Amino acid sequence: APGSCTSSFIAANGPAKGLGGGYETQLESWTRFVPWTLVTKYRDNTLVCLLHVLPSVLWSGLVPFQLNPWFRNRRPRLHRLFGRVLMAVTASMTAGYVMIHVRGLHFHQNDFPTLKQGE
């Protein structure tokens, strides 16, 4: 997906690493819909991917279990375990967000600079 760490890593390797022009063509087709920087901005920011982007998948999968009363009442041990994992993942994502902020990788600064703040 555009903006993901995977597409950034592949784009960083480019055809020189043996990927051929097929992926480059795909990236070019994405720019009809999204800015190039949205697809490639993490290519030099591996730590942001590891701390913020990739853990978001786990976070998104665990949150529904934390918010579901049936799961909370019938599986309290698993609910607590998921909650602890969720807190660790949240701490990681927060550290990654701080890096996004420090490195100026916010979408309104990096990908859509013509947007006014607050839009």
Side-chain angles (χ1 to χ4, degrees):
S4 72
C5 293
T6 303
S7 53
S8 295
F9 293 145
I10 292 172
N13 290 329
K17 302 286 184 188
L19 294 174
Y23 199 81
E24 291 273 322
T25 305
Q26 187 177 0
L27 286 175
E28 288 173 13
S29 69
W30 287 347
T31 59
R32 289 183 289 173
F33 305 105
V34 297
W36 177 261
T37 55
L38 188 63
V39 179
T40 60
K41 70 180 170 184
Y42 296 124
R43 81 166 101 192
D44 297 324
N45 296 286
T46 306
L47 198 54
V48 172
C49 285
L50 295 175
L51 291 177
H52 186 77
V53 179
L54 296 178
S56 69
V57 175
L58 185 58
W59 187 91
S60 298
L62 290 177
V63 165
F65 290 103
Q66 289 304 107
L67 299 177
N68 186 309
W70 182 91
F71 185 77
R72 186 173 37 241
N73 293 329
R74 287 179 180 75
R75 303 280 190 218
R77 284 182 154 180
L78 201 51
H79 175 75
R80 282 192 295 275
L81 174 66
F82 284 5
R84 290 180 181 119
V85 171
L86 189 61
M87 292 304 294
V89 169
T90 301
S92 170
M93 290 177 63
T94 302
Y97 177 77
V98 168
M99 293 181 74
I100 287 171
H101 183 72
V102 168
R103 295 179 181 184
L105 296 174
H106 292 286
F107 76 95
H108 57 78
Q109 290 174 316
N110 193 56
D111 307 317
F112 301 96
T114 58
L115 280 181
K116 295 178 185 172
Q117 291 290 330
E119 274 190 35

